[in-house]
Amino acid sequence: MHWLRGIRIKNIMIIILGTLIFGFGIIHFNLQNGLAHGGFTGITLLLYYLFTIEPSITNLVLNIPLFLIGYRLLGRKVFIYSLIGTISLSVSLSIFETYPVANIPLQDDMILVSLFAGVFSGVGLGLVFRTGGTTGGADILARLSNKYFGTTLGQFMFTFDAIVITTSLIRLSLTQAMYTLITVFVASRVIDFMIEGASAAKSAMIVTNHSDELSSEIRRRMSRGSTVLTGKGSYTHDEREILYCVVNRNELIHLKTVIQDVDPYAFFSVNDVKEVSGEGFTFDRNRDPFHT
């Protein structure tokens, strides 16, 4: 079918898993301990506290207008994944509302509640976002903001969530709102972590007068390649060769040792690399049938 072209079963399963994790956290940490949340989920919780309307129902009702916007601006795939995510989240909330897996009343340790609520929300939403989907509501708005304004999903979610939490003060105490703010902050960081990954590697920019010898030693002693860039000193105007090298985090000390042994006067800087792929990281050249 044309509508389902490019839709992967694996992504659907990840979305379902993500919404189950998210739904578990909302019911077992937020709802059971009187916390709100950000985004449309926060609105559904506020409506529950005020009028006892089940979040699983309001989640669907509030998202209907946004699906039209999401389809027109984000395209067919995101629309389908978002539809699946929203329905799956409502089902997950309904399941955990009716059949809670555990009773976790931790009102005596609200910091722990806030942290766990944030982690479950961040991991769940992060899994959904990684597939290209959303759970509707603020998630769709976050993707639109990322597409047109370049904000990260976590940044937008935190800002939107702060607005919702401020509004929730009509029902929550100031203390509850502050704990909720901790929750959404943790969730926003976990979302970015899930999407961008951990600091997978380190990159080094090395300015040296012994580039040939240093690159040879890096290759011999670490089995790592490097790229030679050409630069010019701003003070001396001398031409310099700069080595760019990417290594795993646990190889950084080894790299520093190699640099120190070859050129103790070399200038180098080290930066985090959020994602890295290619030879030496995501495949082994010795196992590559196309490598000659």
Side-chain angles (χ1 to χ4, degrees), residues 204-251:
M205 300 287 287
I206 311 163
V207 182
T208 176
N209 291 323
H210 306 278
S211 58
D212 290 340
E213 183 182 355
L214 182 55
S215 63
S216 177
E217 284 298 293
I218 291 173
R219 185 168 57 250
R220 184 181 69 84
R221 293 164 61 174
M222 301 183 62
S223 298
R224 289 293 181 194
S226 56
T227 300
V228 179
L229 308 174
T230 301
K232 184 170 68 174
S234 62
Y235 179 73
T236 64
H237 301 289
D238 292 338
E239 295 288 340
R240 295 287 184 89
E241 288 188 339
I242 304 169
L243 289 182
Y244 176 75
C245 183
V246 177
V247 298
N248 287 322
R249 284 176 294 176
N250 57 359
E251 295 177 318

Side-chain angles (χ1 to χ4, degrees), residues 205-211 214 240-241 243 255-256 258-269:
M205 300 287 287
I206 311 163
V207 182
T208 176
N209 291 323
H210 306 278
S211 58
L214 182 55
R240 295 287 184 89
E241 288 188 339
L243 289 182
L255 177 62
K256 291 180 178 180
V258 174
I259 296 172
Q260 182 68 26
D261 290 346
V262 175
D263 184 6
Y265 299 100
F267 173 85
F268 67 95
S269 63

Side-chain angles (χ1 to χ4, degrees), residues 135-154:
T135 56
D139 303 345
I140 291 180
L141 296 178
R143 284 198 166 273
L144 293 175
S145 178
N146 175 258
K147 181 176 181 179
Y148 292 106
F149 301 106
T151 60
T152 69
L153 299 179

Side-chain angles (χ1 to χ4, degrees), residues 44 55-65 67 86-87 90:
T44 63
S56 56
I57 295 176
T58 52
N59 180 65
L60 282 178
V61 173
L62 291 174
N63 276 291
I64 291 175
F67 277 123
T86 301
I87 294 175
S90 287

Side-chain angles (χ1 to χ4, degrees), residues 15-17 19-20 83-93:
I15 289 173
I16 293 174
L17 174 62
T19 55
L20 283 170
L83 181 63
I84 293 171
T86 301
I87 294 175
S88 178
L89 177 58
S90 287
V91 172
S92 298
L93 291 171

